[in-house]
Amino acid sequence: MNKQVGALQPALELIPARSGVAARVKRGQSVRVVNTHGKQVVDTWAFSAADTDEHLSMEHSRAAILKLMPAVGDTLVSNRRNPMLTVVEDTTPGIHDMLIAACDEHRYRQLGAHGHHDSCTDNLKAALAALGIAVPLTPSPLNLFMNVPVRADGSLAFEAPVSEPGQHIALRAEMDLIVVFSACPQDMVPVNAMHPTDAHYQIA
């Protein structure tokens, strides 16, 4: 009986290291994001399935929850201030980031990269393109597992995530959504402990 129940559980889906994936999530479904190997940041976006001009907004969400990082029970909102995602479970120490923009070619050039470097911005575009969707801008992401401590003097730092292998966070969709995940390819500052890896997600 237990084996049969287990077989009915949705499969874990891969977020390949340095790459992005997009998926459709129905209102009321939950998406669980697993830090499979630990220490991996997963940039996360959400767009209204009815109108992709409406997207998950970190600036509006900070105003809604009056926090710098979300916790269980907090509802993140869109750029139209509508509820989008509610945190329903978090087995990590609860360290996530709502401040830092997605990495892009300009960021890597400033860090000294030469030639092409994978980026979360490019991963967002590619993941949406696989669903036949294009958006005109890159919203600031919810950086799951990212550790950006705010110091007493107001300064910020980039540090390795404190999440351990297999820890996860689950978010419930408050409207029909298109969600995008990027297993961040940053390897020039220690946000992924300098070693980008795979992550996984599950929709149920």
Side-chain angles (χ1 to χ4, degrees):
M1 180 67 177
N2 288 339
K3 289 183 179 180
Q4 290 177 339
V5 171
L8 296 176
Q9 294 298 313
L12 283 173
E13 302 289 346
L14 178 66
I15 310 170
R18 311 179 71 92
S19 300
V21 296
R24 296 183 183 275
V25 183
K26 293 290 188 181
R27 180 181 179 183
Q29 288 186 311
S30 291
V31 57
R32 184 166 67 98
V33 186
V34 182
N35 205 323
T36 311
H37 304 285
K39 314 304 181 194
Q40 176 61 44
V41 171
V42 179
D43 286 38
T44 301
W45 295 268
F47 300 84
S48 167
D51 179 1
T52 55
D53 286 342
E54 184 172 13
H55 58 78
L56 186 65
S57 169
M58 292 302 95
E59 54 268 41
H60 293 84
S61 292
R62 290 193 300 269
I65 67 174
L66 295 178
K67 296 178 181 178
L68 289 178
M69 59 187 72
V72 172
D74 289 335
T75 297
L76 307 179
V77 302
S78 74
N79 55 315
R80 297 175 186 167
R81 302 186 190 271
N82 293 315
M84 289 198 109
L85 288 168
T86 298
V87 181
V88 294
E89 185 180 13
D90 191 354
T91 68
T92 78
I95 304 300
H96 308 284
D97 171 69
M98 297 173 64
L99 295 174
I100 303 300
C103 58
D104 55 31
E105 60 178 319
H106 311 292
R107 171 67 168 154
Y108 289 113
R109 190 178 306 120
Q110 290 175 349
L111 291 172
H114 299 285
H116 175 75
H117 193 292
D118 297 324
S119 75
C120 288
T121 295
D122 287 346
N123 290 345
L124 169 68
K125 294 177 182 177
L128 288 175
L131 296 183
I133 298 168
V135 294
L137 52 79
T138 301
S140 186
L142 170 60
N143 294 308
L144 295 176
F145 317 115
M146 189 170 180
N147 185 12
V148 182
V150 181
R151 295 170 172 154
D153 64 359
S155 63
L156 304 176
F158 291 109
E159 296 186 5
V162 297
S163 49
E164 297 298 332
Q167 291 182 337
H168 68 266
I169 185 171
L171 306 109
R172 183 182 65 238
E174 304 298 346
M175 64 172 71
D176 290 352
L177 297 172
I178 298 160
V179 294
V180 183
F181 306 111
S182 172
C184 181
Q186 176 62 266
D187 54 9
M188 302 183 76
V189 298
V191 298
N192 298 307
M194 306 300 291
H195 182 60
T197 59
D198 294 341
H200 288 80
Y201 73 96
Q202 181 187 56
I203 298 171

